[in-house]
Amino acid sequence: MILHQGLAFLAALLFSAASLHAQSWPPADPNEGVAAVAITTSWAKALREAHDLADMQQAAGARGKIEAIETKGSTSRAVFTWVGQDGRGRLRVFVYRSGGFAAIAEPADRKGGIVLNSFGAFTCPDCSPPVNACGRRPSWIPHDLHWDNFDCPHTITGPQDMPVGF
């Protein structure tokens, strides 16, 4: 009896949390597009520990500016942007309805972007030493076949829709 009541309470709690998450889409624009820090290579490397948008916002010291809400295709996403302190560097974060994210940092101290996501992927070909980590297989990849060799480079920034008639 107690176990049944506990499971019912847990189910109700999970349902209310899911409902709250669903109601918060699309997110409101915090209109804080200037980071409190310069976006540099060393700063971006620390983002490897980020698990969600809140971690990215905390690292930037600002909540970001929504550049777009994209609803075409199979997956909705909000595009958050930041300009680094004193115009040093840029950051774009694609936040999906599921809570996952992909990010592209353009550090002020080097050419080329650093790409990462909430699945542990982190690529920085110009870093010393170069980094090319695919992380865990994202939920939108329905198989493990060729994950490291093929799927990772094509999906690291999120689901890729096929054009109509392709």
Side-chain angles (χ1 to χ4, degrees):
M1 177 73 163
I2 293 174
L3 178 62
H4 178 70
Q5 289 174 339
L7 289 174
F9 174 74
L10 181 59
L13 184 63
L14 290 173
F15 178 75
S16 65
S19 296
L20 179 63
H21 182 70
Q23 291 173 359
S24 65
W25 191 263
D29 185 359
N31 202 23
E32 295 179 12
V34 179
V37 297
I39 297 172
T40 63
T41 302
S42 62
W43 177 84
K45 285 180 179 180
L47 296 177
R48 287 186 84 165
E49 303 301 318
H51 299 291
D52 56 25
L53 175 63
D55 292 340
M56 301 294 283
Q57 292 170 322
Q58 183 175 6
R63 295 183 301 157
K65 168 86 178 124
I66 292 184
E67 179 179 281
I69 301 289
E70 300 173 352
T71 58
K72 293 182 180 174
S74 63
T75 307
S76 296
R77 64 185 183 180
V79 183
F80 283 77
T81 60
W82 289 260
V83 174
Q85 185 179 45
D86 299 325
R88 298 188 61 223
R90 298 183 63 80
L91 176 67
R92 289 182 84 198
V93 177
F94 303 92
V95 181
Y96 296 90
R97 181 175 266 182
S98 67
F101 74 85
I104 302 169
E106 298 171 11
D109 59 343
R110 63 181 278 287
K111 291 185 178 181
I114 295 173
V115 181
L116 63 134
N117 68 27
S118 56
F119 292 94
F122 189 89
T123 63
C124 182
D126 298 327
C127 286
S128 182
V131 181
N132 188 20
C134 286
R136 299 178 316 279
R137 180 181 57 82
S139 58
W140 60 82
I141 303 294
H143 56 79
D144 290 318
L145 188 63
H146 303 301
W147 166 237
D148 291 334
N149 299 325
F150 177 76
D151 290 324
C152 175
H154 299 287
T155 63
I156 196 167
T157 55
Q160 307 295 311
D161 289 323
M162 297 294 277
V164 175
F166 190 77

